[in-house]
Coordinates of all heavy atoms in Angstrom, one line a residue:
C24 N -14.3 -2.2 0.3 CA -14.3 -0.8 -0.4 C -14.8 0.2 0.6 O -15.4 1.2 0.3 CB -15.3 -0.9 -1.6 SG -14.8 -2.0 -2.9
G25 N -14.4 0.1 1.9 CA -14.7 1.0 2.9 C -16.0 0.8 3.6 O -16.3 1.6 4.5
A26 N -16.8 -0.2 3.2 CA -18.1 -0.4 3.9 C -17.9 -1.0 5.3 O -18.8 -0.9 6.1 CB -18.9 -1.4 3.0
V27 N -16.7 -1.6 5.5 CA -16.4 -2.2 6.8 C -15.2 -1.5 7.4 O -14.2 -1.2 6.7 CB -16.1 -3.7 6.7 CG1 -15.6 -4.3 8.0 CG2 -17.3 -4.5 6.1
F28 N -15.3 -1.2 8.7 CA -14.2 -0.5 9.4 C -13.0 -1.4 9.8 O -13.2 -2.6 10.1 CB -14.6 0.3 10.6 CG -15.4 -0.5 11.6 CD1 -14.8 -1.3 12.6 CD2 -16.8 -0.5 11.6 CE1 -15.4 -2.0 13.5 CE2 -17.5 -1.2 12.6 CZ -16.8 -2.0 13.5
I29 N -11.8 -0.9 9.7 CA -10.7 -1.6 10.3 C -10.6 -1.3 11.7 O -11.3 -0.4 12.2 CB -9.3 -1.2 9.6 CG1 -9.0 0.3 9.9 CG2 -9.4 -1.5 8.1 CD1 -7.6 0.7 9.5
K30 N -9.8 -2.1 12.5 CA -9.8 -1.9 14.0 C -8.4 -1.6 14.5 O -7.4 -2.1 14.0 CB -10.3 -3.2 14.6 CG -11.8 -3.6 14.2 CD -12.1 -5.0 14.7 CE -13.5 -5.4 14.3 NZ -13.9 -6.8 14.7
R31 N -8.4 -0.8 15.5 CA -7.2 -0.5 16.3 C -7.6 -0.4 17.8 O -8.8 -0.3 18.1 CB -6.6 0.8 15.8 CG -6.0 0.7 14.4 CD -4.8 -0.2 14.3 NE -4.2 -0.2 13.0 CZ -4.5 -0.9 11.9 NH1 -5.6 -1.7 12.0 NH2 -3.9 -0.8 10.8
V32 N -6.6 -0.3 18.6 CA -6.8 0.1 20.0 C -6.1 1.4 20.2 O -5.3 1.8 19.4 CB -6.3 -1.0 21.0 CG1 -7.0 -2.3 20.8 CG2 -4.8 -1.2 20.9
V33 N -6.4 2.0 21.3 CA -5.9 3.4 21.7 C -4.3 3.3 21.6 O -3.7 2.4 22.1 CB -6.4 3.8 23.0 CG1 -5.7 5.1 23.4 CG2 -7.9 4.1 23.0
N34 N -3.8 4.3 20.9 CA -2.4 4.6 20.7 C -1.7 3.7 19.7 O -0.5 3.8 19.5 CB -1.6 4.5 22.1 CG -2.0 5.6 23.0 OD1 -2.3 6.7 22.6 ND2 -2.0 5.3 24.3
E35 N -2.5 2.9 19.0 CA -1.9 2.1 17.9 C -1.7 3.0 16.7 O -2.3 4.1 16.6 CB -2.8 0.9 17.5 CG -2.5 -0.3 18.4 CD -3.1 -1.5 17.8 OE1 -4.2 -1.5 17.2 OE2 -2.6 -2.6 18.0
I36 N -0.9 2.5 15.7 CA -0.6 3.2 14.5 C -1.4 2.6 13.3 O -1.6 1.4 13.2 CB 0.9 3.1 14.2 CG1 1.8 3.7 15.3 CG2 1.2 3.8 12.8 CD1 1.6 5.1 15.5
V37 N -1.9 3.5 12.5 CA -2.5 3.1 11.2 C -1.6 3.5 10.1 O -1.3 4.7 9.9 CB -3.9 3.8 11.0 CG1 -4.5 3.3 9.7 CG2 -4.8 3.4 12.2
T38 N -1.0 2.6 9.4 CA -0.1 2.9 8.3 C -0.9 2.7 7.0 O -1.5 1.6 6.7 CB 1.1 1.9 8.3 OG1 1.9 2.2 9.5 CG2 2.0 2.2 7.1
V39 N -1.0 3.7 6.2 CA -1.8 3.7 5.0 C -0.9 3.8 3.8 O 0.1 4.5 3.7 CB -2.7 5.0 5.0 CG1 -3.6 4.9 3.7 CG2 -3.6 5.0 6.2
T40 N -1.2 3.0 2.8 CA -0.4 2.9 1.5 C -1.4 3.1 0.4 O -2.6 2.8 0.5 CB 0.3 1.6 1.3 OG1 -0.6 0.5 1.3 CG2 1.3 1.4 2.5
A41 N -0.9 3.6 -0.7 CA -1.7 3.8 -1.9 C -0.8 4.0 -3.1 O 0.4 4.3 -3.0 CB -2.7 4.9 -1.8
D42 N -1.4 3.8 -4.3 CA -0.7 4.2 -5.5 C -1.3 5.6 -5.9 O -2.5 5.8 -6.0 CB -1.0 3.2 -6.7 CG -0.4 1.9 -6.4 OD1 0.6 1.8 -5.6 OD2 -0.9 0.9 -6.9
V43 N -0.4 6.5 -6.2 CA -0.8 7.9 -6.6 C -0.1 8.2 -8.0 O 1.1 8.2 -8.1 CB -0.4 8.9 -5.6 CG1 -0.9 10.3 -5.9 CG2 -0.9 8.5 -4.2
L44 N -0.9 8.5 -9.0 CA -0.4 8.6 -10.3 C -0.8 10.0 -11.0 O -1.9 10.5 -10.6 CB -0.9 7.5 -11.2 CG -0.8 6.1 -10.7 CD1 -1.6 5.1 -11.6 CD2 0.6 5.6 -10.6
V45 N 0.0 10.4 -11.9 CA -0.4 11.6 -12.7 C 0.2 11.4 -14.1 O 1.2 10.7 -14.3 CB 0.2 12.9 -12.1 CG1 1.7 13.0 -12.2 CG2 -0.4 14.1 -12.8
D46 N -0.5 11.9 -15.1 CA 0.0 11.8 -16.5 C 1.3 12.7 -16.6 O 1.5 13.6 -15.9 CB -1.1 12.3 -17.4 CG -1.5 13.7 -17.1 OD1 -2.3 13.9 -16.2 OD2 -1.0 14.7 -17.8
G47 N 2.1 12.3 -17.6 CA 3.3 13.1 -17.8 C 4.4 12.9 -16.8 O 4.5 11.8 -16.2
H48 N 5.2 13.9 -16.6 CA 6.3 13.8 -15.7 C 6.3 14.8 -14.6 O 7.3 15.1 -14.0 CB 7.6 14.0 -16.5 CG 7.7 13.1 -17.7 ND1 8.0 11.7 -17.6 CD2 7.5 13.3 -19.0 CE1 8.0 11.2 -18.7 NE2 7.8 12.1 -19.7
D49 N 5.1 15.4 -14.3 CA 5.1 16.4 -13.2 C 5.3 15.8 -11.9 O 5.1 14.6 -11.6 CB 3.7 17.0 -13.2 CG 3.5 18.0 -14.4 OD1 4.5 18.4 -15.0 OD2 2.3 18.3 -14.8
V50 N 5.8 16.7 -11.0 CA 6.0 16.3 -9.6 C 4.7 16.3 -8.9 O 3.9 17.2 -8.9 CB 7.0 17.2 -8.9 CG1 7.1 16.9 -7.4 CG2 8.4 17.1 -9.5
I51 N 4.4 15.1 -8.2 CA 3.1 15.1 -7.5 C 3.4 14.9 -6.0 O 4.5 14.4 -5.6 CB 2.2 13.9 -8.0 CG1 2.9 12.6 -7.9 CG2 1.7 14.2 -9.4 CD1 2.0 11.4 -8.3
Q52 N 2.5 15.3 -5.2 CA 2.6 15.1 -3.8 C 1.3 14.5 -3.3 O 0.2 14.6 -3.9 CB 2.8 16.4 -3.1 CG 4.2 17.0 -3.4 CD 5.3 16.3 -2.7 OE1 5.5 16.4 -1.5 NE2 6.1 15.6 -3.5

């Protein structure tokens, strides 16, 4: 839950994914 850090080396990529929701049918970003 964020208490421990992930690791990378210089110039690596961090790809982040998540679920993003809203009620109804509105366009979200």
